[in-house]
Amino acid sequence: MNNLLLELNEQQLAAVTITDRPLRIVAGAGSGKTKVITTKIAYLIEEMKIPAYKILAVTFTNKAAREMRDRVNNIIPNLTSNPHISTFHAWCSRILREEFELINLSKNFLIIDQGDQVAIIRNLINEHFSHLPELKKYTEKKIIYRIGNWKNELISPIEAIEDCYSGLERAIATLYQKYEEYLKTINSIDFNDLQVLVFKIFNENSETLEKWRNRYDYVMVDEFQDTNDLQFDLIKFLTRDKNNLTVVGDPDQTIYSWRGAKVDIILNFNKTFTNGVSITLNENYRSTQKILDLANDFINNNKNREEKEIFTNNQAGDAPVVKECESRNDEARYVTLKIKELIQQGYEYKDIFVLYRLNAWSQEFEKEFQNNKIPFQLIGGIRFKDRRVIKEANAFLRTLATQDEQAVERVLKSIPKVGDVTIKKLKEKAMDMNVSLYDLIVNEDELHINQVSKHLNNIREVLAKSVDVYKESKNIRMTLQFMLIESGYIKKLTDTEKKEDISYIDSLYDQLENFDKSYQTEVNEEGTEKIISYLQEEALLNSDADDIEAQKVTLLTVHAAKGLENKVVFVVGLNQDIFPGRLSSNSAREIEEERRTLYVAVTRAEEKLFITYIKGEFSFISQAELAPSKFIKEFNQDLYSFEGRYQKSINPFANMNSTTNALHQKQAKNVDGYEKDDIVEHMIFGEGVVIEVNGPTMKVAFSSSYGVMPMSVHDATISKKN
């Protein structure tokens, strides 16, 4: 242990050894926070003699939790028990598995994912709100997001309905009520419920709360800047009037306010814990000083922050490059050529990230990389567990374990010769007989299903036999393999030559085999608890960018890159209304978040940093001619190297002053005579009003259903009315 402490710098050592007061560690980018957290866990076990199982460490991604567990095991390889290191949601799931009776759930409750939520919401709209076509204009994901906000603010369906002022709002709130009622009938909860229900348990049951307070002698929170009010309340429940808390985070990396994170929580930590202390880790072990100089100077433009200067002993390296491009294709070509140069210099494809603010920005890079045979991977595609074939296979297991209607319906849709009409008739018959869809197919007289279709006897037999197969083998993989083969599902994939889907099924078998081997059977376990445990574990997997492969350039959003680093980073599309986004421009709070997002992007770079923007090309994303982001104008021109479109281009941002900035915002009269509020006539779209003029483009609000459209001022099909 002493050798481990000797490896720490002065601030890191203090962060590890302070254990008698609430501690906030402000960890700058690349300052070794994971090393500090895992060393502190080892210190608590080895020096403070706290039993490992009495230590709780929570974070936000499975990847971070896995990395912490691995590092602790490497430091102390022969632990007799393990600290509880997990995501917030996995920790809450563990509590609910113990306290399920307090919230009227059965032990084998399911956690549904967003795909299930979408299907449930769609069915409820069709069943109860088909008379409201305006509700159908809302996407299911928007409704789910709205329901999630209500839940996280602890607003019940009844309260939501009472607070609504419009008919549409009331319909969504009523849909929330129907959704909650349906979840109870299938003994399920959603992702938001995990934290909300634990809060209710702690808030309403003092004995249960005390039990969990005594469960942990020490609590640690990673990525504390990403916590929301509800998560912070859970931490305060555990640590109130105790000095057993360490939180680690960086206010300058708070970039998740859209999902509830509040930068003020970490900034005001010492107001909440008045006897708390703070330590700043400001030595960076990742980037060169030239990259850090640009990042430090840029983030100082934020007002709502805690000032700190990140430094490094790595003084080598080139200045960051800012490159002006004439089009999105030109930008992609520039990055492609630079990558080829870097490969010739000895870098590998895996050393390179291309980061952007919007997923839509990747398109030109994908095409250009393919044309130039540059191997790449796109992070943010469909996850393994979200692929249709995996969801269908898991539906067989859900049907076996819970018999819930949604899973049975998915199974029926996935097997040969059963379609929507048959499923609809089965559901109607089950309702008439007052039995579940599963019982109708498996347990009632087969005469009933034969009246609907002659193709259901096989699936009836498979579902019935699978219960015995699992009872005898207690092996999930073997049971699923039996169900998929005997139901005709595998034959269907084979007949349609879906080789990739078959390979996914094989990967699922491998995953299940590993789960079967690692699962610890509980005492007196007789039912399908193991399958439920597997399904719950699957539901808790989040979208970490942790499947990055070797020898490929990685394309990903800045948010997906958080927590990652690489030798070379390209930050592309740094254009106004793109980064920062158009919707952020009118809010100082949102602009500061966008600035923090760019700070995160810049500080992913270890050795080389390239920043690109486009000037002149029209874009429907921004609905205007692309212009440099205001953030580029905030960069200190002495801290980067500028590359224009031509060999001897001069940096247009050098010696910028307030007059230049004011000129950018000025609404000047266009050379063709168009001004704001002009009435115009278009040959196709009809009459409209000019609402904005920006050089060679303008925005026109048409009185027809076309709404606001970007137009060229030189368009011959439009003219000004007298």
Side-chain angles (χ1 to χ4, degrees), residues 634-692:
E634 294 177 1
F635 288 155
N636 184 335
Q637 69 263 18
D638 296 329
L639 301 177
Y640 66 87
S641 171
F642 178 78
E643 291 184 16
R645 286 182 276 182
Y646 310 104
Q647 194 168 10
K648 294 184 178 180
S649 296
I650 298 172
N651 186 351
F653 310 112
N655 303 314
M656 286 195 71
N657 53 38
S658 56
T659 306
T660 312
N661 287 327
L663 188 63
H664 176 71
Q665 298 169 4
K666 182 180 176 184
Q667 286 195 325
K669 183 174 180 177
N670 180 268
V671 290
D672 277 29
Y674 290 109
E675 292 182 287
K676 186 180 178 185
D677 298 328
D678 279 349
I679 307 296
V680 295
E681 181 78 26
H682 193 277
M683 289 174 61
I684 298 173
F685 307 134
E687 190 174 284
V689 179
V690 176
I691 60 173
E692 183 181 313

Side-chain angles (χ1 to χ4, degrees), residues 2-233:
N2 286 334
N3 290 336
L4 205 59
L5 297 179
L6 289 173
E7 295 175 7
L8 305 176
N9 66 36
E10 186 178 342
Q11 288 76 23
Q12 290 174 330
L13 181 62
V16 167
T17 55
I18 293 175
T19 59
D20 59 348
R21 296 168 70 182
L23 173 65
R24 180 189 69 157
I25 303 171
V26 177
S31 62
K33 73 175 180 67
T34 304
K35 181 178 183 178
V36 168
I37 294 170
T38 53
T39 303
K40 182 153 194 166
I41 292 172
Y43 180 83
L44 293 169
I45 296 169
E46 296 278 274
E47 300 297 321
M48 303 302 295
K49 304 304 179 186
I50 295 176
Y53 67 88
K54 301 212 72 172
I55 297 171
L56 170 68
V58 289
T59 185
F60 284 85
T61 68
N62 298 303
K63 179 187 176 186
R66 189 163 56 247
E67 183 181 356
M68 280 196 276
R69 283 194 294 267
D70 291 344
R71 288 204 193 186
V72 170
N73 287 333
N74 286 335
I75 296 170
I76 316 175
N78 298 313
L79 282 171
T80 54
S81 65
N82 293 311
H84 186 86
I85 302 173
S86 73
T87 63
F88 259 106
H89 289 91
W91 171 64
C92 288
S93 174
R94 178 175 180 165
I95 293 171
L96 295 180
R97 280 200 295 271
E98 285 193 38
E99 313 297 349
F100 57 91
E101 291 176 335
L102 295 174
I103 46 173
N104 298 317
L105 283 174
S106 71
K107 185 176 182 180
N108 290 341
F109 68 87
L110 277 179
I111 304 164
I112 62 171
D113 62 18
Q114 191 178 69
D116 295 323
Q117 287 180 286
V118 167
I120 291 168
I121 293 295
R122 186 181 297 136
N123 290 338
L124 290 174
I125 289 175
N126 290 334
E127 187 177 348
H128 299 285
F129 300 95
S130 56
H131 61 289
L132 289 176
E134 62 270 30
L135 187 60
K136 291 190 175 184
K137 292 180 182 178
Y138 268 68
T139 65
E140 291 88 355
K141 288 185 179 180
K142 281 186 178 179
I143 293 171
I144 291 165
Y145 182 75
R146 187 64 187 276
I147 291 173
N149 283 343
W150 274 322
K151 288 190 176 189
N152 287 326
E153 292 170 9
L154 304 178
I155 297 173
S156 70
I158 299 298
E159 291 169 327
I161 292 170
E162 290 173 351
D163 289 343
C164 291
Y165 295 99
S166 72
L168 182 60
E169 286 283 302
R170 193 169 294 107
I172 296 173
T174 306
L175 183 57
Y176 171 27
Q177 185 178 39
K178 298 284 185 188
Y179 170 76
E180 290 294 274
E181 290 170 355
Y182 181 77
L183 289 188
K184 286 181 182 176
T185 65
I186 61 172
N187 189 41
S188 297
I189 61 175
D190 64 29
F191 216 57
N192 289 298
D193 286 325
L194 288 165
Q195 295 175 150
V196 171
L197 293 174
V198 171
F199 175 88
K200 289 180 178 178
I201 288 171
F202 284 177
N203 194 46
E204 297 169 6
N205 300 273
S206 57
E207 286 185 13
T208 304
L209 171 60
E210 202 57 34
K211 173 181 120 179
W212 286 94
R213 279 168 60 83
N214 292 332
R215 175 81 55 100
Y216 306 114
D217 286 349
Y218 208 90
V219 177
M220 302 184 72
V221 185
D222 182 28
E223 300 289 1
F224 186 64
Q225 78 279 347
D226 293 334
T227 49
N228 59 30
D229 286 329
L230 189 59
Q231 290 158 344
F232 193 32
D233 283 340

Side-chain angles (χ1 to χ4, degrees), residues 311-326:
F311 73 93
T312 181
N313 290 317
N314 181 6
Q315 301 297 323
D318 301 324
V321 173
V322 173
K323 166 67 176 175
E324 179 180 287
C325 305
E326 62 183 19

